[in-house]
Amino acid sequence: SHLADFLVNKGIDVYGTVNEETKNLGQLKGRIKIIRCDISDKKSVEKIISDIRPDYIFHLAAQSFVIVSWQDPENTFKTNILGTLYLLDAVRKAKIDPIIEIACSSAEYGMTYKDEIPIKEEKGFRPSSPYAVSKIATDMIGELYWRTYKMKILRIRFFNISGPRKLFDACSDFARGVAEVEKGIKDFLAVGNLDGTRDITDYRDAINAMWLLTEKGAYGDVYNVCSGNGYKVRDIIKQLLSMSKSKIDVKEKQPEKLRPIDDPLFIGDNSKMRKLGWEPQIPLEQTLRDTLEYWRRNL
């Protein structure tokens, strides 16, 4: 929804495909064309691409939650792998030549040793979830279609992206939990494993990176979009707690919040993006504060 905001403000005609949820698009009512689409419905995807014939495609559709991917790996693979295949094949069949950005994931890198930090795009894959496996396939399908059909494909390996409107990432979950305790909706903040280190980028910086890549990215290449900073998950909680006037009881390692395998260390190398002229502008403290205020307004 933030990308749609950005594109509309640039004067671009935006067509947004949605599967179910549209509440984050309320502020864009009448300014974008919303189309219902299940990305795993091949005929639907082909018709949309054939009708619109877009100049740019930002492929963000995915089953993007790690825990859900363990619960339903089959649907995760169908959505992420077949959905990407159907989209790129639809473009090929329509005989159009748009710039296509495919949202890949730092989860592809998986288990990372200290001597591999910061993580460069060349690092090998050690996936730790069905979601990660599905995103590797998504990534490689994009590379294959660029190499085979010379399509204008750019692959972006996003590390943790956060900010207002985001659902089910650590920063958003923590901020929402703080707001719920403040309002008396919940008695305590339930969290999972706080021992990891994560690289977190504000959505505003991520969108600027995406647009820059449409102008300067090398087709067929892959780019990390990340802050280059490592934040301890426990310290993120402490920052949010310091922003609250309420006393928040935190309960760690709640079973529903734990993953079967958890990668402890994720810090990315964003030097390829920096060479194009991009660098993150929004500090983590602002991202957390804006996210907390969003949940205070929108619970």
Side-chain angles (χ1 to χ4, degrees), residues 163-165 175 202-204 240 243 282-297:
R165 303 186 205 156
D202 190 276
Y203 73 88
R204 289 160 283 201
L240 282 165
M243 297 174 188
I282 311 294
L284 178 62
E285 182 181 358
Q286 183 177 343
T287 303
L288 295 176
R289 192 173 297 282
D290 291 349
T291 305
L292 180 56
E293 289 302 324
Y294 169 80
W295 285 116
R296 284 169 171 163
R297 295 191 306 269

Side-chain angles (χ1 to χ4, degrees), residues 4 13-19 25 32-37 48 52:
D13 291 332
V14 176
Y15 295 79
T17 62
V18 298
N19 187 16
L25 298 174
I32 68 172
K33 301 169 183 69
I34 297 175
I35 302 167
R36 294 280 176 178
C37 175
I48 288 167
I52 296 172

Side-chain angles (χ1 to χ4, degrees), residues 26-263:
Q27 78 285 359
L28 289 165
K29 187 175 182 180
R31 301 175 69 199
I32 68 172
K33 301 169 183 69
I34 297 175
I35 302 167
R36 294 280 176 178
C37 175
D38 181 344
I39 194 72
S40 62
D41 182 339
K42 183 178 180 179
K43 290 184 178 179
S44 177
V45 173
E46 287 181 351
K47 184 176 188 313
I48 288 167
I49 294 298
S50 176
D51 289 348
I52 296 172
R53 304 184 69 80
D55 300 304
Y56 301 91
I57 296 174
F58 299 93
H59 175 36
L60 308 180
Q63 191 304 96
S64 58
F65 304 123
V66 170
I67 292 176
V68 173
S69 79
W70 285 106
Q71 297 164 346
D72 190 359
E74 181 180 2
N75 186 59
T76 300
F77 292 152
K78 284 180 179 178
T79 301
N80 298 355
I81 301 173
L82 290 181
T84 302
L85 177 67
Y86 295 158
L87 173 64
L88 297 183
D89 233 22
V91 171
R92 183 178 63 84
K93 290 176 181 177
K95 293 182 169 54
I96 56 176
D97 193 28
I99 294 173
I100 304 171
E101 290 193 358
I102 298 177
C104 303
S105 173
S106 63
E108 297 172 48
Y109 297 122
M111 180 62 193
T112 302
Y113 301 108
K114 288 184 179 180
D115 63 357
E116 296 174 309
I117 297 295
I119 299 169
K120 298 181 182 295
E121 287 86 351
E122 295 78 21
K123 178 191 174 294
F125 299 144
R126 300 188 195 100
S128 300
S129 67
Y131 166 72
V133 172
S134 76
K135 296 306 276 188
I136 292 171
T138 294
D139 197 324
M140 294 298 97
I141 290 169
E143 198 272 343
L144 179 66
Y145 269 62
W146 162 75
R147 187 153 41 90
T148 306
Y149 303 113
K150 309 306 177 193
M151 294 169 73
K152 295 176 181 175
I153 291 173
L154 298 153
R155 293 168 289 139
I156 307 176
R157 290 184 190 147
F158 291 104
F159 283 62
N160 293 72
I161 307 297
S162 198
R165 303 186 205 156
K166 186 78 187 291
L167 297 173
F168 308 122
D169 72 298
C171 295
S172 181
D173 275 0
F174 296 162
R176 181 175 184 162
V178 168
E180 287 173 335
V181 175
E182 287 177 341
K183 290 181 178 290
I185 297 170
K186 291 187 176 176
D187 296 327
F188 60 89
L189 174 59
V191 300
N193 178 20
L194 300 183
D195 297 327
T197 298
R198 296 290 178 265
D199 185 318
I200 299 167
T201 304
D202 190 276
Y203 73 88
R204 289 160 283 201
D205 286 326
I207 290 169
N208 286 332
M210 293 172 73
W211 186 251
L212 180 65
L213 284 172
T214 68
E215 300 174 327
K216 295 184 177 181
Y219 302 136
D221 211 346
V222 61
Y223 297 86
N224 286 339
V225 169
C226 55
S227 70
N229 298 313
Y231 302 100
K232 293 186 180 297
V233 178
R234 191 174 301 280
D235 290 342
I236 294 170
I237 285 273
K238 288 179 180 177
Q239 280 201 58
L240 282 165
L241 294 179
S242 73
M243 297 174 188
S244 175
K245 294 179 181 178
S246 302
K247 185 178 184 336
I248 310 290
D249 181 20
V250 178
K251 294 191 177 181
E252 296 184 36
K253 297 188 176 178
Q254 298 297 295
E256 71 278 9
K257 301 287 185 180
L258 295 174
R259 302 173 178 182
I261 304 176
D262 207 1
D263 298 311

